[in-house]
Amino acid sequence: MRTELDDLLSQAIARAENLGASGADAVAIDYTEASVRVRLGEVEELQRSHQRHLGIRVFVGKRQAISSSSDLRPEAIDQLVDDTVGMAKVIADDPASGLPEPSQTGAIFTDGPGLYDESVESMDMEHGVSWAKAAEAEAMRDPRMTNSEGATFGFTSAKRHYAASGGVAGSYRTSAFSGWVVPVASLDGAMERDYWYTTRRMLSELDSPELVGRKAAELTLRRLGATQPKTAEVPVIFDSRTASALIGYVASALSGYSIYRGSSYLVDRIGQRIASDAITLVDDGTLAGLMGTKPYDGEGIKTGRTSVIERGLLQSYLFDAYSARKCGAETTGNASRAISDAPTVAPTNLHVQPGTASLEDMLADVQSGFYVTELIGFGVNLTTGDYSQGASGLWIEKGRFSHAVAEVSIAGNLLTMLQEVDCVGHDLDRYRAVSSPSLRIRELMVAGA
């Protein structure tokens, strides 16, 4: 069913064309978010907001201008369009600017599978308070738990609309529910914290607060008594959280914008080996119910599946229409669009395909090594791939966890690190938009005492 926002987008595009625009597209969002934060059993923060925004992008030949507004009165949108067309007429030409080719877009787009839970419409804050209190209470059961940074429950509901010259139009709804807890444990005057969380599109699929609380407590307690190891080159296992952070850096290097600007260590490496044959990386915006899934991207391109790395060989970068033109390629349907900004490139569901190894398998033949559970700071040069970050985690001796370690740094190069992956775990969290199972790197410099 068409809504007021659909009509506003169509009218805005028609007005822009009547004023001399050679093409235009527009986006609108109707967005509700709410969250509750509990700390030590007491509600500390309640938030709820509802927003509606509209943005339009206008082309006059190869000139482009973008404007947005939260004032959705028809007369305000008319003025917005007039001003945007006026700006586009005087801005400098950009040969790569323009809408996607008509052959790349469809006519009508609808909701994708498993993205919207209607229960979000009747969700009240009492449910969030109960969830957060239960998660924190479970996390605090052990007497070594002496404090808490709180537990949070939140949910969002959004209706996203898109329209473009040529009759392209569509909308889809999404919901999301999430919960976190961050307990603090103490031993001999030293304090440690860690966290666990759950995020789903469907409320019924959310992990229970008790499960999240127990996991957060387990991760926190194992950090107690941390020491600083001696500097050494040893096997390093990144757990699924920290491995996902590594893949996030790779995602930035894969962006078409990084490629055409020459600011990525992956420039001109299509068809080359950039990882071990244990690594297959896929971006797929069609997977039902996941956090990065959507029926079309920020430019009306139907989302699909892109094989990015196949058994270590680089197969594709990620593009929107603009970066694809700059690189002489075609868009991969990875345009991400904020209301007031031009599209840019972002992954949908970018996942390293899981292996078969359990944690015990990954530990078994490590005589001395480092299991990373937290990365600290930012120390990645995407142009060269040089990598250095602070870290903490667990030391491994003879295939078992020996003790907690902290105040170390890891140094290497992303290209070499991925090529040195010799074992991939089976613990992929598909509900992160960018995610990896645990990864074992054959040898890496760990700097400590």
Side-chain angles (χ1 to χ4, degrees):
M1 293 179 60
R2 288 189 64 85
T3 66
E4 173 198 1
L5 290 179
D6 293 313
D7 290 337
L8 280 175
L9 295 187
S10 297
Q11 293 162 14
I13 290 168
R15 185 177 182 88
E17 292 173 338
N18 289 336
L19 291 171
S22 54
D25 67 355
V27 293
I29 188 168
D30 189 326
Y31 185 78
T32 298
E33 65 177 339
S35 66
V36 56
R37 181 173 181 268
V38 167
R39 182 174 177 273
L40 298 177
E42 299 294 330
V43 176
E44 282 203 338
E45 186 177 85
L46 285 167
Q47 292 185 337
R48 189 178 185 115
S49 66
H50 177 226
Q51 307 170 41
R52 297 203 309 166
H53 296 278
L54 181 148
I56 186 165
R57 179 172 58 154
V58 168
F59 299 94
V60 177
K62 291 298 183 179
R63 301 169 181 171
Q64 170 184 290
I66 300 168
S67 297
S68 66
S69 177
S70 58
D71 184 348
L72 302 188
R73 294 173 299 140
E75 59 270 27
I77 298 303
D78 286 348
Q79 187 62 56
L80 179 75
V81 173
D82 295 354
D83 293 343
T84 310
V85 173
M87 289 189 293
K89 289 179 176 179
V90 299
I91 203 165
D93 280 354
D94 184 342
S97 71
L99 294 170
E101 298 302 320
S103 61
Q104 296 175 317
T105 56
I108 299 295
F109 304 95
T110 57
D111 285 344
L115 299 183
Y116 188 72
D117 184 344
E118 292 187 355
S119 70
V120 74
E121 298 169 15
S122 57
M123 177 65 62
D124 60 43
M125 301 305 288
E126 286 301 319
H127 179 94
V129 170
S130 298
W131 193 100
K133 285 186 174 181
E136 186 183 54
E138 186 68 28
M140 299 293 289
R141 286 184 180 276
D142 192 285
R144 291 170 291 179
M145 294 297 186
T146 56
N147 208 335
S148 170
E149 293 185 8
T152 300
F153 182 90
F155 60 91
T156 64
S157 172
K159 182 75 176 287
R160 293 173 171 83
H161 305 255
Y162 178 81
S165 296
V168 178
S171 64
Y172 65 96
R173 298 180 298 174
T174 61
S175 59
F177 304 86
S178 61
W180 295 69
V181 61
V182 187
V184 178
S186 298
L187 179 67
D188 298 330
M191 293 188 295
E192 296 287 351
R193 50 153 287 286
D194 212 316
Y195 71 94
W196 196 244
Y197 68 99
T198 178
T199 301
R200 298 290 189 274
R201 292 288 187 198
M202 301 291 151
L203 180 62
S204 62
E205 297 176 358
L206 206 64
D207 290 339
S208 72
E210 291 79 15
L211 186 154
V212 174
R214 286 194 296 272
K215 182 67 173 179
E218 173 192 336
L219 297 178
T220 301
L221 291 171
R222 73 182 186 181
R223 295 171 65 115
L224 291 172
T227 61
Q228 188 179 35
K230 293 182 178 179
T231 297
E233 289 190 14
V234 295
V236 172
I237 300 172
F238 289 84
D239 74 358
S240 62
R241 291 184 298 176
T242 54
S244 298
L246 284 182
I247 298 304
Y249 296 131
V250 176
S252 296
L254 289 165
S255 165
Y257 288 85
S258 297
I259 298 304
Y260 86 73
R261 291 168 180 158
S263 58
S264 168
Y265 73 97
L266 296 177
V267 170
D268 294 331
R269 290 189 179 271
I270 293 293
Q272 296 182 20
R273 178 166 298 284
I274 66 163
S276 79
D277 61 8
I279 299 292
T280 292
L281 181 64
V282 174
D283 186 74
D284 193 340
T286 69
L287 299 172
L290 300 192
M291 305 311 293
T293 300
K294 48 191 173 184
Y296 57 90
D297 75 354
E299 296 178 302
I301 302 296
K302 184 178 180 180
T303 53
R305 183 183 189 276
T306 301
S307 178
V308 179
I309 301 173
E310 184 69 35
R311 293 186 60 82
L313 300 178
L314 181 61
Q315 303 293 315
S316 177
Y317 302 122
L318 301 178
F319 295 111
D320 64 357
Y322 182 85
S323 62
R325 288 192 188 102
K326 295 288 284 188
C327 293
E330 290 190 2
T331 175
T332 54
N334 285 97
S336 178
R337 182 82 168 271
I339 293 293
S340 58
D341 298 320
T344 187
V345 168
T348 56
N349 302 300
L350 184 69
H351 296 162
V352 173
Q353 300 302 288
T356 59
S358 66
L359 176 58
E360 290 74 19
D361 295 332
M362 300 185 83
L363 294 172
D365 55 354
V366 177
Q367 291 302 302
S368 183
F370 182 33
Y371 181 74
V372 186
T373 62
E374 183 180 26
L375 294 170
I376 303 163
F378 181 85
V380 181
N381 184 327
L382 290 180
T383 303
T384 63
D386 289 339
Y387 173 88
S388 178
Q389 279 193 282
S392 60
L394 303 170
W395 200 253
I396 306 164
E397 291 290 348
K398 297 181 180 179
R400 297 175 180 271
F401 291 137
S402 172
H403 58 278
V405 296
E407 298 181 20
V408 301
S409 62
I410 306 169
N413 182 279
L414 288 175
L415 188 62
T416 305
M417 290 165 65
L418 291 182
Q419 290 173 338
E420 290 289 302
V421 171
D422 65 358
C423 191
V424 176
H426 59 38
D427 53 343
L428 176 69
D429 180 355
R430 299 170 66 247
Y431 290 93
R432 293 192 191 103
V434 177
S435 186
S436 171
S438 298
L439 301 176
R440 189 177 71 190
I441 297 174
R442 189 173 290 108
E443 194 170 74
L444 201 57
M445 176 60 71
V446 177

